[in-house]
Amino acid sequence: MTKTILVVDDEERILHLLKDYLEQESFRVVTAADGREALFVARHEKPDLIVLDLMMPEMDGHAFMRQHRKEHETPIILLTARVEETDKVLGLELGADDYITKPFSPRELTARIRAVLRRSGMTAPEPEIMRVSGITLDRSGHVVDVDGRGVDLTPSEFDLLAALMSAPGRAFSRLELLDRVQGTAYEGYERTIDVHVKNLRSKIEPDSSNPTYIETVYGVGYRFAREISR
């Protein structure tokens, strides 16, 4: 089920940037330019998560949180240009789940959004056993079977395969996959996913130089093929 993200910021450039990027990452996005508008939008759209700027006219982020928390427990990630620790602490005390300081990478924010949604239980639980195109993955037993052949995977390779198999045909960015595998995502380390993919392909692909299960999506990352031709 598509998750709805409410982005609240008085900078129109940031609203457009995040709306475009998050929609490419398969989220539904609604926006507001200040705290008062955000209260109205939140009541009507019932977002699954709110990305909230602290410094805004009309009603700032702290005031919005005080009011919103009287009605809802929506997960909130703060956007702030402030560097003072007291501002961040106050936001967390008011119920924010995470914060990110401007300027920021949209990819890092996306990874944080997914992490907060998982922690808050807003994402649907993934099945214990997944079967796609001849590959069976059993989470509880940590077992992978490829066309009747057992395959030994490292924990990182197992988590990577599980993430890709959870949505065949969907392109995952390297940063998103890094967050799924390691629980954290930093742009400087996202190429480590390429190493994990190379090792995973060598274990599950009939021909790792011509992969059929894990496809490269140039400029984005990787996806698990929706259907395998045999």
Side-chain angles (χ1 to χ4, degrees), residues 19-207:
K19 187 175 192 302
D20 290 345
Y21 193 89
L22 292 174
E23 286 179 343
Q24 290 177 16
E25 292 292 319
S26 301
F27 292 106
R28 174 176 175 265
V29 181
V30 293
T31 62
D34 59 60
R36 293 190 187 282
E37 183 182 1
L39 286 175
F40 176 83
V41 174
R43 286 171 183 146
H44 287 80
E45 298 290 344
K46 297 179 174 56
D48 298 295
L49 182 142
I50 299 171
V51 177
L52 176 69
D53 186 31
L54 279 180
M55 295 292 291
M56 294 182 295
E58 297 295 328
M59 177 186 284
D60 68 13
H62 289 142
F64 167 84
M65 289 180 65
R66 290 188 182 95
Q67 184 62 37
H68 182 72
R69 281 287 182 251
K70 295 178 182 178
E71 305 173 23
H72 305 285
E73 294 296 326
T74 314
I76 294 175
I77 296 178
L78 299 179
L79 293 180
T80 176
R82 295 179 173 183
V83 295
E84 292 86 351
E85 184 178 2
T86 53
D87 292 314
K88 297 171 183 175
V89 170
L90 176 58
L92 295 173
E93 288 178 344
L94 288 172
D97 296 87
D98 199 356
Y99 67 85
I100 188 168
T101 304
K102 297 178 181 178
F104 58 88
S105 159
R107 286 184 290 180
E108 181 182 354
L109 177 60
T110 301
R112 289 175 180 265
I113 287 172
R114 296 190 189 281
V116 170
L117 286 172
R118 286 200 303 274
R119 290 199 302 268
S120 63
M122 297 298 293
T123 54
E126 294 178 328
E128 285 296 307
I129 297 178
M130 291 186 285
R131 295 184 178 89
V132 184
S133 299
I135 295 183
T136 300
L137 183 145
D138 182 346
R139 290 178 182 277
S140 60
H142 209 273
V143 173
V144 173
D145 182 282
V146 180
D147 290 329
R149 171 178 59 91
V151 177
D152 292 326
L153 301 181
T154 67
S156 293
E157 292 163 358
F158 186 91
D159 291 342
L160 175 59
L161 180 60
L164 291 167
M165 288 180 63
S166 69
R170 178 182 181 274
F172 289 85
S173 68
R174 289 178 174 85
L175 202 65
E176 183 180 351
L177 290 171
L178 186 62
D179 180 63
R180 296 286 191 100
V181 170
Q182 297 185 185
T184 55
Y186 299 100
E187 283 189 73
Y189 299 95
E190 64 183 283
R191 288 292 172 178
T192 59
I193 285 297
D194 294 343
V195 177
H196 290 313
V197 168
K198 180 181 178 181
N199 293 336
L200 181 56
R201 280 172 169 167
S202 71
K203 295 180 179 182
I204 70 170
E205 298 282 359
D207 178 4

